[in-house]
Amino acid sequence: MQNDSVKQLFVEYRFYDVDPEMTETPFSLPKPRPYQSIAFNFSNSIQVDMKHNYKRREYLASMLLPDHPDKGRIKFTVVSEPPELATGESAQLECEDVGVAYVSLRDMLAKGQDLRDQNIDILNPDDESHVIGQMMVTVSCVDVLKAVEGEMQIVGTY
C-alpha cells in the first residue's frame, strides 16, 4: 500500500505444466485504497484425469507426500503489473511480487472439505511472518485428492 509505484495488481498461481496464462487473472485491477477490497472473480479448472493428464495427477499425488518442496500447498502470488506509458508500451519496470498466500491441499484432505469463499492471509513475500492483507478463494479438489490418496495406497499406481 505504501509503494507508490504499485498501481495495478493481478493474481497468479502455478501448477505443474499448466500454462501460466491459464493460472493468472486475465486482467489487472487498480491497487485498492486501505481497507478497500477488489474482486477478480477469476475461476479455473485444471484437468487431472488419469487417462489424459497422468503427469499432472502424479504431481498432485506428490503434493501429498511429506517431502514435497511446497509442503503440499498451492501458492498464490499477488503481482504488481508495470504501469503503461502514454504510448501504450509498458515501462521498463518488471512485474513485482507484492504478496503471497497459501492453500494447503494436505489440510483440505485431512479435513475432508473444499474451501468455499475462504479468507486466507496474504503475506509479505520478503517476510512471510508479516500479514499484509487477505484474499478470498474457493478451491474445490477434495474429491480428487481422496481419489489420488486411494491410488497411492495401491502398489504400482504411483
Side-chain angles (χ1 to χ4, degrees):
M1 296 305 295
Q2 297 170 350
N3 185 341
D4 290 335
S5 69
V6 175
K7 304 285 188 202
Q8 297 283 121
L9 300 170
F10 66 93
V11 178
E12 66 180 10
Y13 68 95
R14 298 285 179 247
F15 186 84
Y16 188 60
D17 67 342
V18 178
D19 184 347
E21 289 186 15
M22 300 295 295
T23 59
E24 64 184 38
T25 57
F27 51 85
S28 60
L29 291 174
K31 176 176 71 174
R33 293 187 176 127
Y35 306 104
Q36 180 186 30
S37 64
I38 57 177
F40 288 98
N41 295 324
F42 174 69
S43 177
N44 188 18
S45 293
I46 297 175
Q47 302 302 313
V48 292
D49 59 285
M50 186 80 80
K51 184 175 182 180
H52 297 100
N53 295 288
Y54 180 76
K55 288 290 186 187
R56 286 184 190 167
R57 193 173 188 95
E58 187 175 54
Y59 177 77
L60 185 61
S62 76
M63 293 181 77
L64 301 177
L65 297 173
D67 61 346
H68 188 265
D70 293 326
K71 302 175 186 159
R73 303 178 301 178
I74 297 173
K75 179 181 177 181
F76 294 87
T77 306
V78 179
V79 181
S80 170
E81 185 170 61
E84 286 193 15
L85 300 173
T87 61
E89 294 183 25
S90 291
Q92 295 300 321
L93 302 172
E94 301 262 334
C95 289
E96 179 183 351
D97 295 352
V98 295
V100 294
Y102 298 96
V103 170
S104 172
L105 298 182
R106 294 177 192 166
D107 289 350
M108 289 177 60
L109 179 60
K111 293 176 185 173
Q113 293 181 322
D114 290 324
L115 292 182
R116 302 241 185 254
D117 297 328
Q118 182 78 35
N119 282 323
I120 59 173
D121 289 338
I122 301 173
L123 310 172
N124 180 329
D126 299 320
D127 175 10
E128 291 189 5
S129 67
H130 182 70
V131 177
I132 61 170
Q134 288 194 321
M135 77 169 58
M136 184 181 293
V137 298
T138 295
V139 179
S140 301
C141 62
V142 167
D143 289 340
V144 74
L145 291 174
K146 288 178 181 178
V148 167
E149 180 185 42
E151 294 161 7
M152 291 170 69
Q153 296 174 7
I154 300 171
V155 176
T157 60
Y158 184 72

